[in-house]
């Protein structure tokens, strides 16, 4: 089992918080890979350790897909260009390298963590090691015609896989703390190439509107043998905040108070603009609030 985190310079503070929480709470993994644009390697080099490796995006991309200079940006996004498709944004490239890294790095199973995830409870990955099954997040009937982008991703996922497009509402597979299987990812890429008659990276670059998690989910759902490697679950162990208004410390504390007993992490979307220091303060308060209860339980156990 390995951890994968695609990230970039603007998320450096968030990634720092993620790595600290992983080191504090996550166990039973062999390596945590940070996948970053080549131009950001120096920013992340200090994360290198025995259990964490920083790898350049170019390691996972074909030679014909190259980054444009950083001064050429749109909405503060970097783009990659080629003669085979329209420019791909950094967001699209992160999706590409998730797939490529899962296929090429030397591990059977991967837990994918975005930069904006923070663990606040212990999380042991031992039970997800090969050949045990891994969770497949699937939320039935969540994608409706009103969700234009998600509905489009359902459509493109089926087109790329050569599958008939379902009617809406349809299942959603997008979330946090996502598990992938290497053999499944390889089979998915091969399926895309068969259906499109293009290299899978070129097919995705030409499509542009796609979701890597939708692709993986619908592919697994279409193959019984691959489905047997996964156990469908309606939610992950991560509380998610997807909205844009930034959160205050008290609002973050309210979010943490809603955590169920099985939740181990939370994610506040980076585009919300919630300051990293606010997130740190909320975590510290949460840990302090839980400490007395833990001490009380231990003392009670000794007395008993």
């Amino acid at each position: 089992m390995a951890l994968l985190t695609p990230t970039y310079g603007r998320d450096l503070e968030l990634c720092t918080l993620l790595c600290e929480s992983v080191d504090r709470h996550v166990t039973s993994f062999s390596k945590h890979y940070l996948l970053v644009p080549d131009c950001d390697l120096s920013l992340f080099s200090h994360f290198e350790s025995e259990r964490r490796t920083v790898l350049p995006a170019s390691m996972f991309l074909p030679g014909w897909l190259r980054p444009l200079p950083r001064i050429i940006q749109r909405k503060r996004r970097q783009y990659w260009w080629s003669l085979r498709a329209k420019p791909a944004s950094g967001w699209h490239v992160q999706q590409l390298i998730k797939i490529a890294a899962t296929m090429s790095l030397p591990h059977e199973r991967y837990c994918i963590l975005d930069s904006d995830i923070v663990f606040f409870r212990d999380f042991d990955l031992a039970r997800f090691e090969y050949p045990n099954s891994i969770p497949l997040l699937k939320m039935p009937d969540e994608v409706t015609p009103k969700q234009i982008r998600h509905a489009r991703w359902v459509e493109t996922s089926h087109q790329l896989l050569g599958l008939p497009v379902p009617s809406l509402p349809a299942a959603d597979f997008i979330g946090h703390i996502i598990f992938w299987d290497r053999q499944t990812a390889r089979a998915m890429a091969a399926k895309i190439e068969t259906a499109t008659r293009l290299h899978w990276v070129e097919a995705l670059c030409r499509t542009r509107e796609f979701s890597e998690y939708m692709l993986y989910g619908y592919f697994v759902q279409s193959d019984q043998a691959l489905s047997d490697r996964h156990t469908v679950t309606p939610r992950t162990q991560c509380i998610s905040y997807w909205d844009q208004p930034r959160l205050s410390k008290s609002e973050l504390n309210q979010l943490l108070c809603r955590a169920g007993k099985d939740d181990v992490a939370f994610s506040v979307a980076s585009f919300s603009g919630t300051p990293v220091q606010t997130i740190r303060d909320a975590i510290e308060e949460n840990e302090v609030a839980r400490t007395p209860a833990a001490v009380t339980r231990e003392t009670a156990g000794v007395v008993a």
Side-chain angles (χ1 to χ4, degrees):
M1 175 69 69
L3 310 180
L4 288 182
T5 299
T7 187
Y8 72 130
R10 280 175 56 192
D11 280 352
L12 180 60
E13 284 188 282
L14 284 170
C15 190
T16 300
L17 192 53
L18 164 67
C19 291
E20 290 172 0
S21 72
V22 165
D23 293 342
R24 188 180 305 117
H25 292 293
V26 184
T27 54
S28 300
F29 68 93
S30 53
K31 187 75 75 172
H32 183 190
Y33 295 98
L34 303 182
L35 315 175
V36 306
D38 294 47
C39 59
D40 287 337
L41 279 173
S42 61
L43 294 176
F44 291 87
S45 60
H46 66 283
F47 286 109
E48 286 278 355
S49 67
E50 183 179 352
R51 302 189 74 189
R52 184 166 290 114
T53 299
V54 182
L55 298 176
S58 61
M59 178 176 172
F60 304 103
L61 299 174
W64 51 262
L65 186 61
R66 302 188 179 190
L68 287 166
R70 294 298 288 265
I71 60 172
I72 304 176
Q73 295 187 1
R74 182 186 179 191
K75 296 182 179 180
R76 300 177 67 191
R77 285 184 176 179
Q78 186 180 13
Y79 281 80
W80 275 249
W81 70 278
S82 74
L83 298 176
R84 306 189 186 193
K86 294 180 180 179
S89 71
W91 178 64
H92 285 108
V93 168
Q94 283 193 357
Q95 296 184 70
L96 297 175
I97 63 177
K98 285 178 191 178
I99 299 171
T102 301
M103 293 167 58
S104 60
L105 290 173
H107 308 272
E108 290 295 330
R109 296 285 167 75
Y110 295 86
C111 178
I112 304 175
L113 307 170
D114 288 339
S115 296
D116 53 20
I117 290 175
V118 183
F119 288 90
F120 60 89
R121 287 177 180 158
D122 293 345
F123 189 39
D124 186 1
L125 296 169
R127 66 187 185 277
F128 305 123
E129 293 175 354
Y130 183 84
N132 298 329
S133 67
I134 54 175
L136 176 69
L137 175 65
K138 179 181 179 182
M139 296 169 283
D141 298 333
E142 282 292 311
V143 181
T144 67
K146 293 182 179 180
Q147 297 170 295
I148 297 174
R149 294 187 74 189
H150 281 62
R152 177 63 177 150
W153 294 338
V154 170
E155 180 182 9
T156 56
S157 294
H158 286 79
Q159 291 171 342
L160 286 163
L161 295 168
L163 301 172
V165 178
S167 58
L168 299 179
D172 192 351
F173 297 88
I174 299 173
H176 293 107
I177 311 183
I178 299 296
F179 289 87
W180 278 4
D181 172 78
R182 179 169 63 168
Q183 293 184 42
T184 302
R186 288 177 172 175
M188 178 182 74
K191 180 74 170 179
I192 292 171
E193 292 180 349
T194 299
T196 64
R197 298 183 181 180
L198 296 169
H199 186 276
W200 68 269
V201 174
E202 183 174 350
L204 293 183
C205 285
R206 289 192 180 190
T207 302
R208 294 173 62 81
E209 295 182 75
F210 68 91
S211 161
E212 79 282 36
Y213 295 147
M214 290 284 203
L215 266 173
Y216 187 94
Y218 279 114
F219 178 63
V220 171
Q221 182 177 275
S222 73
D223 188 297
Q224 186 58 53
L226 297 176
S227 293
D228 291 342
R229 294 174 178 265
H230 302 74
T231 300
V232 172
T233 178
R235 64 184 302 273
T236 65
Q237 294 176 262
C238 183
I239 313 164
S240 301
Y241 175 77
W242 297 95
D243 298 326
Q244 290 193 345
R246 69 169 55 190
L247 296 177
S248 65
K249 186 172 66 175
S250 62
E251 289 170 328
L252 271 170
N253 284 328
Q254 291 173 24
L255 183 72
L256 288 168
C257 285
R258 294 202 301 270
K261 62 181 180 64
D262 295 326
D263 290 322
V264 298
F266 71 91
S267 170
V268 176
S270 58
F271 55 72
S272 73
T274 302
V276 173
Q277 188 57 50
T278 301
I279 299 174
R280 284 187 178 279
D281 292 343
I283 294 170
E284 290 176 5
E285 285 194 8
N286 179 70
E287 290 183 346
V288 169
R290 289 193 295 120
T291 299
V295 172
T296 301
R297 284 195 299 271
E298 290 176 6
T299 304
V302 171
V303 173

